[in-house]
Amino acid sequence: MSETIIKLENMVKTFSGTVANRGVSLEIRKGEIHCLLGENGAGKTVLMSIVYGLYQPDSGRIIYRGEPIVLRSPKDAIKRGIGMVHQHFMLVPTLTVSENIILGQYPPWKILRQMDKVETRIEKLSREFGLKIDPKAPVHRLSVGEQQRVEILKALYQGVDLLILDEPTAVLTPQESAALLHFLKEMAGRGLTVIFITHKLEEVMQVSDRVTVLRDGRKVETVDTAEVNPRKLANLMVGREVLLEQPPKTGAEGEEVLSVKDLSIDDERGLPAVKGVSFSVKSGEIVGIAGVSGNGQSELALGLTGLASIASGEFRLCGKIANDLTPRELSHLGLAHVPEDRHKMGVVLPFSIAENFILHDFDSPPFAKNGFLRTGTITAHANEMVGRYDVRLSGVEQQIAQLSGGNQQKVVIARELHRNPRLLLVNEPTRGIDIGATEFVRRQIAAQRDTGSAVLLISSDLEELFALSDRLLIFYEGRIVGETPARKELIEEIGLLMAGKSMETNSVTK
Amino acid sequence: MEPLAIITFLAAVLAATWRLATPFIFTSLGEVFSERAGVLNIGLEGVMLIGAFTAFAVTFFTGNPVWGLVAAMTGGLTCGLLFALLTVSLKANQIVVGAAFNLVGLGLTSFLYRSVFSGRMETAREYHSFSPIEIPLLSRLPFFGEILFRQNIMVYATPFVVLAGAFLLYRTAFGLSVRSTGEHPRTVDSAGLRVGVIRYASVLIGCALAAVGGAYLTVAHTNQFNEGITSGRGFIALAVVVIGRWSPWGAFFVSLLFGFFYALQLRLQAVSGITIPYQFLQALPYLLTLVVFVTLRKRAAPPSALGVPYKSS
């Protein structure tokens, strides 16, 4: 059990000026589940991509089964029995399961005559390991959970000894996650070594034998999981005390700000994505929308912000029918929007921070006069906002692209909240940002609710929904399949609803 | 027209259909490979011209169209190497490079043709191109004999080349990697294969076949070269690939459809008593391209990574 399978010595990796790994050393034992814990940007994925041969380290040595090795490409890693399941799946959607599994396994001239044989082998593997899958199915027809199964099967088909999984539960329902963790434990029992990249403390506690914490590209510590608790891990990860629980809400609920009736919205391909949903949000409450991403939440957000047209039904903002209003008209009615994709819709990356603060009001006083921008006022405004919302920067004339994700998100939040909206629509507000910024952003959202705004929160992170929401609506395939109070004890039921498993019991009561 | 005349007319049109489809079949089959690997080569017209000219020049001096064909393929591979160097290795914009290929193809072949051949044309020997091979017995079948069994070797070769292409694309590990590269290159990278190598290979196949498609015009269809002899066929081949949904057999049958349009307009010009201006008839294949393109376009889904250079992070 204590035999070392792979040892990393002083790994350094720099990307055009940014240091991702600053001399990380790590030892993984054969047959253990080793968690790699750290915030986004701590260097976990980069370190493991080096082990998988995707990146070459600037310096440092990899010792595998007692001998130093150089991995020039994933091919070298695969040959040695190292496999990786990436956070964004490495699958070709148009190909079948078996075609995806054998991609790259044979020399180019090999005639793939015996696909039957391949399929039989895959079926055998999937039975043996309890990973049910149809080898003939095209991958784009599979659910996210099934796609992950294909990724794991791919590694098993290659004969993997060391399996790296990069945030594998980020896209799964709680039940699917539990099944995956169970499966990994079983595999470890059979001698497979697993490196599990995550930033979720609870998973570390559940699944791992040992855990290594990374921060800012450095190793903080490797500890036995049995000897730590989540609080200790959080402190190691962030380097200070963190408080993720939110203070309870103080204000009372008021009148209905958003009311949605039988609303249907099509996606960009013209297929129905939101199918006749009805709900309302009152002032002073946060309504969370839970669901595995891709079940219509994005389209709902686009529809409610005037960025996608409404197929049928209606929604009212502050009592006014808002179906055909433009984003700008909606914003004047009191809607603020923190979009899902910060880079595409939240900020204009090549613009300065000051300019990003006035994307809504650039053409009206005090920022513009007679068609000319008033740079003095704009800069002063930006400086004030930056101070109030704790954005870390070198100056407001800096391009926003140079800020970290967390600081960019603070700029978006600051801009939207500053307008004191009647309805705040936030979509994945803390995706891809560090714990410190997460804490801050969540506190701001809660505070906005307490001043009397209505908040609609869309998130694929259940922890976040529990921490912030007053009640939850569960989305599955474009429909609301349940409404529950946002209580952690209900995670089981919510998970089932998210997987579409419990259509008959439409509401879980307190 | 009398029934017999109609049948004769139809037989003539259909016989010409396959002949006129042949350059589209070669060129679009090649482009299927290129695009399946994610490289959009709009420079087909230029590559076809270079193929047509090389084949013409070499056949002119050697007297043997087989050498002409070999030279055309070499020319095509050279074009492919240059195209891949610019778009795959140097990650230049594929549309811009393709457009440049069309301009260079036209300019270079016209220049060489004038400077090398213009003085000689009075004394030009006519060379022998690939001539029709009549299949014994079958060629004497009524109706079908003319359509199917009195063609030249390059025309006969088309279904076999397409068959080989389809086999390569769907039944070999190489084909699997080509199809994956156009859809999701990062997966290919992660599987330990090299995206660049696969794209080079596909572009080379594409350009070699486009050059053969061009060569057909000067060593099989006719035995001469004119400036701009391809007259837009490279662009139509691009449309063929889309309408044929990026599949080799799709490209084959859609090529036949366009061959039919060409044949129809040629034969209609010869029919006495039809008073449509010939300019309109000449424009017919292009107009039909537009019509077919607009009506069938919605159903096709191009490779996701088409036209996007791959940067391994």
Side-chain angles (χ1 to χ4, degrees), chain B residues 35-286:
Chain B
E35 292 195 16
R36 273 302 185 94
V39 184
L40 177 65
N41 183 357
I42 67 152
L44 292 179
E45 179 82 1
V47 179
M48 282 180 87
L49 269 173
I50 288 172
F53 178 79
T54 338
F56 161 76
V58 170
T59 310
F60 186 91
F61 290 115
T62 62
N64 187 344
V66 175
W67 286 120
L69 208 54
V70 172
M73 286 179 83
T74 318
L77 289 172
T78 314
C79 291
L81 211 55
L82 186 64
F83 192 87
L85 177 77
L86 292 170
T87 59
V88 180
S89 300
L90 301 177
K91 306 188 197 322
N93 183 303
Q94 295 171 6
I95 302 294
V96 174
V97 175
F101 265 62
N102 287 331
L103 295 173
V104 170
L106 181 62
L108 189 69
T109 53
S110 302
F111 167 73
L112 288 174
Y113 179 67
R114 281 187 213 175
S115 51
V116 180
F117 293 96
S118 63
R120 294 175 193 251
M121 285 327 274
E122 296 89 72
T123 56
R125 318 158 259 175
E126 289 215 332
Y127 59 74
H128 290 290
S129 54
F130 291 115
S131 45
I133 300 168
E134 298 200 1
I135 310 283
L137 299 175
L138 289 175
S139 62
R140 277 191 242 146
L141 283 174
F143 194 69
F144 294 105
E146 185 183 356
I147 300 170
L148 295 175
F149 302 109
R150 278 179 227 164
Q151 307 285 10
N152 68 59
I153 183 99
M154 286 184 76
V155 178
Y156 287 132
T158 51
F160 299 101
V161 175
V162 173
L163 189 69
F167 184 82
L168 187 61
L169 194 59
Y170 294 113
R171 292 276 178 272
T172 67
F174 170 73
L176 181 62
S177 59
V178 169
R179 286 182 285 141
S180 306
T181 303
E183 287 291 339
H184 206 291
R186 195 162 289 279
T187 299
V188 174
D189 197 4
S190 165
L193 298 168
R194 293 176 59 190
V195 174
V197 172
I198 294 162
R199 290 201 163 158
Y200 261 82
S202 306
V203 169
L204 286 175
I205 292 173
C207 285
L209 285 174
V212 170
Y216 171 83
L217 297 172
T218 53
V219 298
H221 194 59
T222 64
N223 56 356
Q224 56 185 341
F225 181 86
N226 308 314
E227 289 172 26
I229 189 171
T230 48
S231 57
R233 285 182 173 86
F235 294 105
I236 289 181
L238 283 171
V240 167
V241 173
V242 177
I243 298 161
R245 296 174 145 212
W246 291 271
S247 102
W249 284 109
F252 180 78
F253 288 111
V254 175
S255 293
L256 285 176
L257 182 69
F258 281 106
F260 176 75
F261 295 159
Y262 268 75
L264 191 65
Q265 66 93 2
L266 278 177
R267 289 289 149 179
L268 280 177
Q269 286 186 43
V271 174
S272 55
I274 292 190
T275 49
I276 307 169
Y278 76 95
Q279 291 91 339
F280 178 77
L281 289 173
Q282 280 182 337
L284 196 64
Y286 307 96

Side-chain angles (χ1 to χ4, degrees), chain A residues 52 54-55 74-75 78 86 89-95 99 102-104 106-108 110-112, chain B residues 167 170-177 179-181 183-184 186-193 304 313:
Chain A
Y52 187 59
L54 276 171
Y55 301 142
K75 201 165 218 160
I78 293 165
H86 301 266
F89 295 148
M90 294 295 173
L91 296 172
V92 184
T94 48
L95 300 184
E99 283 177 319
I102 61 166
L103 177 66
Y106 300 107
K110 169 89 176 176
I111 294 168
L112 305 175
Chain B
F167 184 82
Y170 294 113
R171 292 276 178 272
T172 67
F174 170 73
L176 181 62
S177 59
R179 286 182 285 141
S180 306
T181 303
E183 287 291 339
H184 206 291
R186 195 162 289 279
T187 299
V188 174
D189 197 4
S190 165
L193 298 168
S304 315
S313 44

